[in-house]
Amino acid sequence: MKPLIICINGPRHSGKDTLALALRMQWLAQGGHATDVKFATPIEAAVAAMLPGKMSEDFTRARHDPIAKTQHSTIYAGSPSAVELLIGLSELFAKPVMDDDIFGIIAAHHVKSLRKRERMLITVSDCGFQAEYNAFVGELLNEADVWLVQLYRDGYEFGAGDSRHRVQYNGKEAGALSVINGLGTEDLVHRAADIIAYIAKCTAETVQTNPA
């Protein structure tokens, strides 16, 4: 069985990380193996490496705090926010120099390097750029079943301060789903079970339609 990769796309505070965790917990509860991969990991490591000592620690702490990551002066007096540092290094240096799809290619090679286990789920909870996503899917076409989940939540949209955008299904994936986060964390936990069940049903139907 190929690894299952679920890429989650949605604006800030729509519940991407919460849904990714719920999917992994649901998968583990069913006896599978699960891990998370992020497109942003290389740029996070680069920013942390540029900052000395305590500044690096404060950046890492702020980066993983849903409130602090968008606040100024959390790293040093007058500093940009952790998110602004990541966007600046990514959009003003890395992508112009190495191309827009670089982080998708890096993430795909990381997936290829993972120890392959039976019933493996990999979530990607920071899918927000079409070029990255297309490169990621293209690199893994023959090695994994990739699904795109587009996450929606009332009152939360892509816009000012968010360099990401709505990623579109490109037809090469195993499938795609639109999910509405209506009630927050509890709703996403229930929806994770529905998503896993739906993908399992579609996979079983594909196997029956195209027997080896």
Side-chain angles (χ1 to χ4, degrees), residues 195-207:
I195 291 169
I196 295 296
Y198 179 79
I199 291 176
K201 178 176 180 291
C202 291
T203 301
E205 290 175 353
T206 300
V207 170

PDB file of all heavy atoms in Angstrom, residues 195-207:
ATOM      1  N   ILE A 195     -13.238  12.066   6.905  1.00  0.00           N
ATOM      2  CA  ILE A 195     -12.277  12.174   5.805  1.00  0.00           C
ATOM      3  C   ILE A 195     -11.547  10.852   5.600  1.00  0.00           C
ATOM      4  O   ILE A 195     -11.407  10.365   4.473  1.00  0.00           O
ATOM      5  CB  ILE A 195     -11.278  13.319   6.081  1.00  0.00           C
ATOM      6  CG1 ILE A 195     -11.983  14.670   6.003  1.00  0.00           C
ATOM      7  CG2 ILE A 195     -10.112  13.273   5.085  1.00  0.00           C
ATOM      8  CD1 ILE A 195     -11.145  15.832   6.529  1.00  0.00           C
ATOM      9  N   ILE A 196     -11.069  10.264   6.695  1.00  0.00           N
ATOM     10  CA  ILE A 196     -10.365   8.982   6.605  1.00  0.00           C
ATOM     11  C   ILE A 196     -11.275   7.908   6.014  1.00  0.00           C
ATOM     12  O   ILE A 196     -10.867   7.133   5.144  1.00  0.00           O
ATOM     13  CB  ILE A 196      -9.849   8.539   7.994  1.00  0.00           C
ATOM     14  CG1 ILE A 196      -8.776   9.511   8.519  1.00  0.00           C
ATOM     15  CG2 ILE A 196      -9.320   7.110   7.937  1.00  0.00           C
ATOM     16  CD1 ILE A 196      -7.520   9.560   7.697  1.00  0.00           C
ATOM     17  N   ALA A 197     -12.527   7.867   6.467  1.00  0.00           N
ATOM     18  CA  ALA A 197     -13.472   6.865   5.969  1.00  0.00           C
ATOM     19  C   ALA A 197     -13.755   7.069   4.481  1.00  0.00           C
ATOM     20  O   ALA A 197     -13.817   6.102   3.712  1.00  0.00           O
ATOM     21  CB  ALA A 197     -14.776   6.935   6.773  1.00  0.00           C
ATOM     22  N   TYR A 198     -13.899   8.340   4.068  1.00  0.00           N
ATOM     23  CA  TYR A 198     -14.181   8.622   2.656  1.00  0.00           C
ATOM     24  C   TYR A 198     -13.010   8.227   1.767  1.00  0.00           C
ATOM     25  O   TYR A 198     -13.196   7.609   0.711  1.00  0.00           O
ATOM     26  CB  TYR A 198     -14.491  10.115   2.494  1.00  0.00           C
ATOM     27  CG  TYR A 198     -14.767  10.512   1.057  1.00  0.00           C
ATOM     28  CD1 TYR A 198     -16.007  10.256   0.478  1.00  0.00           C
ATOM     29  CD2 TYR A 198     -13.789  11.130   0.285  1.00  0.00           C
ATOM     30  CE1 TYR A 198     -16.262  10.610  -0.846  1.00  0.00           C
ATOM     31  CE2 TYR A 198     -14.030  11.481  -1.038  1.00  0.00           C
ATOM     32  CZ  TYR A 198     -15.267  11.217  -1.593  1.00  0.00           C
ATOM     33  OH  TYR A 198     -15.513  11.557  -2.897  1.00  0.00           O
ATOM     34  N   ILE A 199     -11.801   8.567   2.180  1.00  0.00           N
ATOM     35  CA  ILE A 199     -10.619   8.220   1.386  1.00  0.00           C
ATOM     36  C   ILE A 199     -10.456   6.706   1.295  1.00  0.00           C
ATOM     37  O   ILE A 199     -10.137   6.158   0.234  1.00  0.00           O
ATOM     38  CB  ILE A 199      -9.356   8.879   1.978  1.00  0.00           C
ATOM     39  CG1 ILE A 199      -9.421  10.394   1.777  1.00  0.00           C
ATOM     40  CG2 ILE A 199      -8.089   8.308   1.349  1.00  0.00           C
ATOM     41  CD1 ILE A 199      -8.267  11.165   2.419  1.00  0.00           C
ATOM     42  N   ALA A 200     -10.701   6.016   2.419  1.00  0.00           N
ATOM     43  CA  ALA A 200     -10.603   4.552   2.413  1.00  0.00           C
ATOM     44  C   ALA A 200     -11.607   3.943   1.434  1.00  0.00           C
ATOM     45  O   ALA A 200     -11.284   3.007   0.700  1.00  0.00           O
ATOM     46  CB  ALA A 200     -10.843   4.015   3.822  1.00  0.00           C
ATOM     47  N   LYS A 201     -12.825   4.502   1.413  1.00  0.00           N
ATOM     48  CA  LYS A 201     -13.859   4.012   0.498  1.00  0.00           C
ATOM     49  C   LYS A 201     -13.436   4.236  -0.953  1.00  0.00           C
ATOM     50  O   LYS A 201     -13.561   3.337  -1.795  1.00  0.00           O
ATOM     51  CB  LYS A 201     -15.174   4.733   0.781  1.00  0.00           C
ATOM     52  CG  LYS A 201     -16.333   4.357  -0.136  1.00  0.00           C
ATOM     53  CD  LYS A 201     -17.603   5.065   0.306  1.00  0.00           C
ATOM     54  CE  LYS A 201     -18.781   4.700  -0.609  1.00  0.00           C
ATOM     55  NZ  LYS A 201     -18.631   5.258  -1.964  1.00  0.00           N
ATOM     56  N   CYS A 202     -12.930   5.431  -1.260  1.00  0.00           N
ATOM     57  CA  CYS A 202     -12.496   5.740  -2.625  1.00  0.00           C
ATOM     58  C   CYS A 202     -11.331   4.857  -3.048  1.00  0.00           C
ATOM     59  O   CYS A 202     -11.269   4.388  -4.191  1.00  0.00           O
ATOM     60  CB  CYS A 202     -12.093   7.205  -2.734  1.00  0.00           C
ATOM     61  SG  CYS A 202     -13.471   8.359  -2.583  1.00  0.00           S
ATOM     62  N   THR A 203     -10.400   4.610  -2.125  1.00  0.00           N
ATOM     63  CA  THR A 203      -9.245   3.767  -2.427  1.00  0.00           C
ATOM     64  C   THR A 203      -9.685   2.337  -2.715  1.00  0.00           C
ATOM     65  O   THR A 203      -9.205   1.705  -3.662  1.00  0.00           O
ATOM     66  CB  THR A 203      -8.251   3.780  -1.253  1.00  0.00           C
ATOM     67  OG1 THR A 203      -7.829   5.125  -1.009  1.00  0.00           O
ATOM     68  CG2 THR A 203      -7.025   2.919  -1.573  1.00  0.00           C
ATOM     69  N   ALA A 204     -10.616   1.823  -1.924  1.00  0.00           N
ATOM     70  CA  ALA A 204     -11.116   0.465  -2.130  1.00  0.00           C
ATOM     71  C   ALA A 204     -11.812   0.338  -3.476  1.00  0.00           C
ATOM     72  O   ALA A 204     -11.636  -0.648  -4.195  1.00  0.00           O
ATOM     73  CB  ALA A 204     -12.081   0.086  -1.004  1.00  0.00           C
ATOM     74  N   GLU A 205     -12.587   1.367  -3.849  1.00  0.00           N
ATOM     75  CA  GLU A 205     -13.281   1.343  -5.141  1.00  0.00           C
ATOM     76  C   GLU A 205     -12.295   1.390  -6.291  1.00  0.00           C
ATOM     77  O   GLU A 205     -12.469   0.721  -7.317  1.00  0.00           O
ATOM     78  CB  GLU A 205     -14.249   2.522  -5.222  1.00  0.00           C
ATOM     79  CG  GLU A 205     -15.448   2.382  -4.291  1.00  0.00           C
ATOM     80  CD  GLU A 205     -16.334   3.622  -4.296  1.00  0.00           C
ATOM     81  OE1 GLU A 205     -15.932   4.619  -4.909  1.00  0.00           O
ATOM     82  OE2 GLU A 205     -17.431   3.562  -3.687  1.00  0.00           O
ATOM     83  N   THR A 206     -11.201   2.163  -6.127  1.00  0.00           N
ATOM     84  CA  THR A 206     -10.179   2.247  -7.179  1.00  0.00           C
ATOM     85  C   THR A 206      -9.480   0.906  -7.367  1.00  0.00           C
ATOM     86  O   THR A 206      -9.235   0.466  -8.493  1.00  0.00           O
ATOM     87  CB  THR A 206      -9.128   3.327  -6.824  1.00  0.00           C
ATOM     88  OG1 THR A 206      -9.801   4.586  -6.697  1.00  0.00           O
ATOM     89  CG2 THR A 206      -8.069   3.429  -7.898  1.00  0.00           C
ATOM     90  N   VAL A 207      -9.187   0.225  -6.266  1.00  0.00           N
ATOM     91  CA  VAL A 207      -8.522  -1.077  -6.337  1.00  0.00           C
ATOM     92  C   VAL A 207      -9.415  -2.096  -7.046  1.00  0.00           C
ATOM     93  O   VAL A 207      -8.970  -2.889  -7.867  1.00  0.00           O
ATOM     94  CB  VAL A 207      -8.152  -1.573  -4.924  1.00  0.00           C
ATOM     95  CG1 VAL A 207      -7.692  -3.028  -4.968  1.00  0.00           C
ATOM     96  CG2 VAL A 207      -7.069  -0.699  -4.329  1.00  0.00           C
TER      97      VAL A 207
END
